[in-house]
Amino acid sequence: MSLGLTEIALILVVVLVLFGGKRIPELAKALGKAQYEYKKAKEMLQNEAQDLKDSVEKAVKDEEKKNKE
C-alpha cells in the first residue's frame, strides 16, 4: 500500500488546516526529536541484547570446556 501524489497532497492540506502554518515547524521539530530518541533507544537495546547474547555464548563455551576436562 503506497501513497500517491494526490493522497500526500490531501494529507498536507489537512495538516495545514488543522495546525496552521506557524505550528507546523514546531511539530516537525518535535517529530524529529522523537524519531532521534526512538533510534537511540533502539540501538541501545540492540547493543544490550548483543552483549547479553555474547555473555551467554561465552558461559556456554566455558561450561563445555569445563565438562570436557
Side-chain angles (χ1 to χ4, degrees):
M1 180 172 112
S2 63
L3 294 176
L5 185 59
T6 307
E7 290 88 2
I8 292 172
L10 181 62
I11 291 169
L12 290 175
V13 168
V14 169
V15 168
L16 185 60
V17 168
L18 288 177
F19 296 107
K22 294 179 182 178
R23 293 264 330 215
I24 291 176
E26 295 172 11
L27 292 171
K29 184 177 179 182
L31 184 62
K33 282 183 179 181
Q35 183 179 11
Y36 171 76
E37 290 296 327
Y38 172 79
K39 285 182 180 180
K40 191 168 85 171
K42 179 181 162 186
E43 288 175 7
M44 286 176 49
L45 286 173
Q46 286 175 335
N47 291 339
E48 189 173 327
Q50 185 63 43
D51 290 344
L52 182 59
K53 180 182 172 187
D54 293 343
S55 296
V56 169
E57 288 175 353
K58 184 180 181 302
V60 168
K61 286 180 183 178
D62 290 346
E63 188 66 30
E64 288 173 353
K65 272 186 180 178
K66 183 179 175 184
N67 288 339
K68 286 183 180 179
E69 294 175 352

